[in-house]
Each structure stands twice: as structure tokens, then as C-alpha cells.
Amino acid sequence: IPILAAMEYPAYTSYIVPPNRAAAKGYMLEVTGLQQRYLLDARTYAPDLPTLNTTVPANVAPNYTIATTPTAGPPVGFTVTATPINAQASRDTACGTLTVDQAGTKSASGAGTSGW
């Protein structure tokens, strides 16, 4: 059994990385929608997640730190950033930190091109 566990654990850990990343990306896109709605009401983007009345979901928080920051203009904008933490940081080196901005431009800081 220890031999089988030693062989299967790496396969399992590589199996859970993409769903964790997908959950973070989904929440990031939700935050972009909240930012756009906030802009309609306040004529500016929100400076942080509490201003948008949202918190990082329980399935994302153990694996990513999510933040949104306004960017100076003109035109004004924002960036939503998902930084991997804990085991996700060491397992997801292909994507690394994910970002999306007000125009929908997506990027990843990792060595691979599979982030988004």
C-alpha cells in the first residue's frame, strides 16, 4: 500500500490543481462583473472586495489570495489578481498569478501558457 500511495499521490495532486484554478478564475470573473455594476452606481471602480460586498468563497480561499485594485486613468480601470498560496503555489507553477482587468485582458505570470 505505501508503494501505491507513493505512486498515486503525485497524480492526485496534479489532478486537483486545474479545478482549484478554475474556481479562482470563476470568482475573478464574478468580481469583474461586480466592479462594472459598482461603476454604474458610483462612477468609479471599487478599491477592494469589501466595498463590493463580497468575500472570497470557501473553495477558493485556501488556494488563492484574491484582490482587486483600481488603476489610475484616464480612463480609470481595475485589476483583479489571484495569487496562489499554500500547496497551490508550489503545484501550479505553469500558471502562477492570474490577472484580469476592466477590459477583460487576462494574463498569467507562470512559465506555461495554460493559465487562462
mmCIF file of all heavy atoms in Angstrom, residues 82-106:
data_model
loop_
_atom_site.group_PDB
_atom_site.id
_atom_site.type_symbol
_atom_site.label_atom_id
_atom_site.label_comp_id
_atom_site.label_asym_id
_atom_site.label_seq_id
_atom_site.Cartn_x
_atom_site.Cartn_y
_atom_site.Cartn_z
ATOM 1 N N ALA A 82 -5.307 37.032 -8.686
ATOM 2 C CA ALA A 82 -5.399 35.798 -7.905
ATOM 3 C C ALA A 82 -3.984 35.254 -7.740
ATOM 4 O O ALA A 82 -3.361 34.823 -8.705
ATOM 5 C CB ALA A 82 -6.277 34.777 -8.600
ATOM 6 N N THR A 83 -3.498 35.291 -6.527
ATOM 7 C CA THR A 83 -2.150 34.824 -6.221
ATOM 8 C C THR A 83 -2.249 33.467 -5.526
ATOM 9 O O THR A 83 -2.888 33.359 -4.478
ATOM 10 C CB THR A 83 -1.434 35.826 -5.298
ATOM 11 O OG1 THR A 83 -1.491 37.122 -5.904
ATOM 12 C CG2 THR A 83 0.004 35.420 -5.065
ATOM 13 N N PRO A 84 -1.636 32.429 -6.092
ATOM 14 C CA PRO A 84 -1.714 31.111 -5.454
ATOM 15 C C PRO A 84 -0.976 31.097 -4.118
ATOM 16 O O PRO A 84 0.071 31.744 -3.979
ATOM 17 C CB PRO A 84 -1.067 30.176 -6.466
ATOM 18 C CG PRO A 84 -0.262 31.036 -7.366
ATOM 19 C CD PRO A 84 -0.858 32.393 -7.319
ATOM 20 N N ILE A 85 -1.539 30.389 -3.160
ATOM 21 C CA ILE A 85 -0.941 30.257 -1.834
ATOM 22 C C ILE A 85 -0.924 28.786 -1.440
ATOM 23 O O ILE A 85 -1.524 27.941 -2.113
ATOM 24 C CB ILE A 85 -1.699 31.091 -0.778
ATOM 25 C CG1 ILE A 85 -3.177 30.690 -0.727
ATOM 26 C CG2 ILE A 85 -1.545 32.575 -1.038
ATOM 27 C CD1 ILE A 85 -3.960 31.344 0.399
ATOM 28 N N ASN A 86 -0.239 28.508 -0.366
ATOM 29 C CA ASN A 86 -0.154 27.164 0.200
ATOM 30 C C ASN A 86 0.318 26.165 -0.853
ATOM 31 O O ASN A 86 1.213 26.465 -1.637
ATOM 32 C CB ASN A 86 -1.490 26.761 0.839
ATOM 33 C CG ASN A 86 -1.904 27.735 1.933
ATOM 34 O OD1 ASN A 86 -1.069 28.261 2.648
ATOM 35 N ND2 ASN A 86 -3.186 28.000 2.042
ATOM 36 N N ALA A 87 -0.279 24.991 -0.897
ATOM 37 C CA ALA A 87 0.156 23.949 -1.834
ATOM 38 C C ALA A 87 -0.093 24.342 -3.284
ATOM 39 O O ALA A 87 0.650 23.929 -4.175
ATOM 40 C CB ALA A 87 -0.550 22.635 -1.514
ATOM 41 N N GLN A 88 -1.108 25.149 -3.533
ATOM 42 C CA GLN A 88 -1.408 25.563 -4.908
ATOM 43 C C GLN A 88 -0.226 26.333 -5.507
ATOM 44 O O GLN A 88 0.067 26.207 -6.690
ATOM 45 C CB GLN A 88 -2.672 26.417 -4.949
ATOM 46 C CG GLN A 88 -3.177 26.735 -6.324
ATOM 47 C CD GLN A 88 -3.890 25.581 -7.009
ATOM 48 O OE1 GLN A 88 -4.225 24.580 -6.397
ATOM 49 N NE2 GLN A 88 -4.122 25.703 -8.294
ATOM 50 N N ALA A 89 0.459 27.105 -4.703
ATOM 51 C CA ALA A 89 1.592 27.902 -5.195
ATOM 52 C C ALA A 89 2.717 27.014 -5.702
ATOM 53 O O ALA A 89 3.337 27.310 -6.722
ATOM 54 C CB ALA A 89 2.099 28.823 -4.100
ATOM 55 N N SER A 90 2.980 25.927 -5.016
ATOM 56 C CA SER A 90 4.075 25.049 -5.445
ATOM 57 C C SER A 90 3.647 24.086 -6.543
ATOM 58 O O SER A 90 4.483 23.645 -7.333
ATOM 59 C CB SER A 90 4.624 24.272 -4.250
ATOM 60 O OG SER A 90 3.615 23.465 -3.686
ATOM 61 N N ARG A 91 2.386 23.783 -6.631
ATOM 62 C CA ARG A 91 1.907 22.822 -7.633
ATOM 63 C C ARG A 91 1.540 23.462 -8.965
ATOM 64 O O ARG A 91 1.566 22.806 -10.000
ATOM 65 C CB ARG A 91 0.678 22.087 -7.093
ATOM 66 C CG ARG A 91 0.974 21.213 -5.918
ATOM 67 C CD ARG A 91 -0.296 20.578 -5.405
ATOM 68 N NE ARG A 91 -0.027 19.823 -4.198
ATOM 69 C CZ ARG A 91 -0.922 19.592 -3.261
ATOM 70 N NH1 ARG A 91 -2.158 20.055 -3.403
ATOM 71 N NH2 ARG A 91 -0.609 18.903 -2.197
ATOM 72 N N ASP A 92 1.173 24.733 -8.947
ATOM 73 C CA ASP A 92 0.676 25.388 -10.159
ATOM 74 C C ASP A 92 1.696 26.385 -10.698
ATOM 75 O O ASP A 92 1.409 27.549 -10.904
ATOM 76 C CB ASP A 92 -0.648 26.083 -9.866
ATOM 77 C CG ASP A 92 -1.401 26.454 -11.132
ATOM 78 O OD1 ASP A 92 -0.979 26.035 -12.226
ATOM 79 O OD2 ASP A 92 -2.411 27.170 -11.030
ATOM 80 N N THR A 93 2.897 25.908 -10.960
ATOM 81 C CA THR A 93 3.950 26.793 -11.466
ATOM 82 C C THR A 93 3.735 27.153 -12.932
ATOM 83 O O THR A 93 4.305 28.120 -13.419
ATOM 84 C CB THR A 93 5.322 26.141 -11.299
ATOM 85 O OG1 THR A 93 5.321 24.878 -11.957
ATOM 86 C CG2 THR A 93 5.657 25.955 -9.825
ATOM 87 N N ALA A 94 2.924 26.391 -13.640
ATOM 88 C CA ALA A 94 2.677 26.684 -15.057
ATOM 89 C C ALA A 94 1.868 27.965 -15.231
ATOM 90 O O ALA A 94 2.029 28.660 -16.222
ATOM 91 C CB ALA A 94 1.960 25.521 -15.720
ATOM 92 N N CYS A 95 1.013 28.278 -14.276
ATOM 93 C CA CYS A 95 0.168 29.474 -14.406
ATOM 94 C C CYS A 95 0.597 30.599 -13.488
ATOM 95 O O CYS A 95 0.615 31.744 -13.895
ATOM 96 C CB CYS A 95 -1.285 29.116 -14.133
ATOM 97 S SG CYS A 95 -1.989 28.149 -15.458
ATOM 98 N N GLY A 96 0.870 30.300 -12.252
ATOM 99 C CA GLY A 96 1.269 31.342 -11.307
ATOM 100 C C GLY A 96 0.132 32.281 -10.986
ATOM 101 O O GLY A 96 -1.025 31.892 -10.891
ATOM 102 N N THR A 97 0.460 33.553 -10.864
ATOM 103 C CA THR A 97 -0.524 34.580 -10.530
ATOM 104 C C THR A 97 -1.361 34.920 -11.756
ATOM 105 O O THR A 97 -0.828 35.150 -12.831
ATOM 106 C CB THR A 97 0.188 35.844 -10.012
ATOM 107 O OG1 THR A 97 0.942 35.487 -8.851
ATOM 108 C CG2 THR A 97 -0.811 36.927 -9.649
ATOM 109 N N LEU A 98 -2.672 34.956 -11.560
ATOM 110 C CA LEU A 98 -3.610 35.272 -12.640
ATOM 111 C C LEU A 98 -4.128 36.693 -12.466
ATOM 112 O O LEU A 98 -4.353 37.133 -11.344
ATOM 113 C CB LEU A 98 -4.791 34.298 -12.603
ATOM 114 C CG LEU A 98 -4.461 32.816 -12.678
ATOM 115 C CD1 LEU A 98 -5.701 31.981 -12.393
ATOM 116 C CD2 LEU A 98 -3.897 32.470 -14.026
ATOM 117 N N THR A 99 -4.320 37.398 -13.570
ATOM 118 C CA THR A 99 -4.909 38.734 -13.515
ATOM 119 C C THR A 99 -5.927 38.912 -14.631
ATOM 120 O O THR A 99 -5.834 38.263 -15.673
ATOM 121 C CB THR A 99 -3.844 39.847 -13.646
ATOM 122 O OG1 THR A 99 -3.194 39.713 -14.898
ATOM 123 C CG2 THR A 99 -2.829 39.806 -12.524
ATOM 124 N N VAL A 100 -6.884 39.780 -14.369
ATOM 125 C CA VAL A 100 -7.849 40.207 -15.380
ATOM 126 C C VAL A 100 -8.164 41.670 -15.075
ATOM 127 O O VAL A 100 -8.211 42.077 -13.915
ATOM 128 C CB VAL A 100 -9.120 39.323 -15.384
ATOM 129 C CG1 VAL A 100 -9.870 39.388 -14.071
ATOM 130 C CG2 VAL A 100 -10.019 39.670 -16.546
ATOM 131 N N ASP A 101 -8.350 42.465 -16.126
ATOM 132 C CA ASP A 101 -8.630 43.887 -15.912
ATOM 133 C C ASP A 101 -10.009 44.258 -16.433
ATOM 134 O O ASP A 101 -10.767 43.398 -16.893
ATOM 135 C CB ASP A 101 -7.535 44.769 -16.525
ATOM 136 C CG ASP A 101 -7.455 44.675 -18.042
ATOM 137 O OD1 ASP A 101 -8.395 44.154 -18.682
ATOM 138 O OD2 ASP A 101 -6.444 45.127 -18.594
ATOM 139 N N GLN A 102 -10.327 45.552 -16.388
ATOM 140 C CA GLN A 102 -11.655 46.032 -16.768
ATOM 141 C C GLN A 102 -11.972 45.771 -18.233
ATOM 142 O O GLN A 102 -13.127 45.675 -18.610
ATOM 143 C CB GLN A 102 -11.810 47.528 -16.457
ATOM 144 C CG GLN A 102 -11.101 48.466 -17.408
ATOM 145 C CD GLN A 102 -9.598 48.528 -17.224
ATOM 146 O OE1 GLN A 102 -9.066 48.059 -16.225
ATOM 147 N NE2 GLN A 102 -8.906 49.110 -18.188
ATOM 148 N N ALA A 103 -10.970 45.624 -19.073
ATOM 149 C CA ALA A 103 -11.201 45.355 -20.495
ATOM 150 C C ALA A 103 -11.302 43.866 -20.791
ATOM 151 O O ALA A 103 -11.512 43.475 -21.929
ATOM 152 C CB ALA A 103 -10.066 45.966 -21.323
ATOM 153 N N GLY A 104 -11.132 43.036 -19.765
ATOM 154 C CA GLY A 104 -11.179 41.587 -19.962
ATOM 155 C C GLY A 104 -9.843 40.993 -20.371
ATOM 156 O O GLY A 104 -9.776 39.829 -20.729
ATOM 157 N N THR A 105 -8.776 41.779 -20.308
ATOM 158 C CA THR A 105 -7.446 41.284 -20.644
ATOM 159 C C THR A 105 -6.965 40.374 -19.532
ATOM 160 O O THR A 105 -6.890 40.786 -18.371
ATOM 161 C CB THR A 105 -6.464 42.460 -20.832
ATOM 162 O OG1 THR A 105 -7.002 43.347 -21.803
ATOM 163 C CG2 THR A 105 -5.111 41.959 -21.276
ATOM 164 N N LYS A 106 -6.630 39.149 -19.882
ATOM 165 C CA LYS A 106 -6.228 38.138 -18.919
ATOM 166 C C LYS A 106 -4.757 37.802 -19.091
ATOM 167 O O LYS A 106 -4.256 37.766 -20.213
ATOM 168 C CB LYS A 106 -7.067 36.882 -19.104
ATOM 169 C CG LYS A 106 -8.546 37.145 -18.970
ATOM 170 C CD LYS A 106 -9.363 35.962 -19.425
ATOM 171 C CE LYS A 106 -10.828 36.307 -19.401
ATOM 172 N NZ LYS A 106 -11.637 35.335 -20.080
#
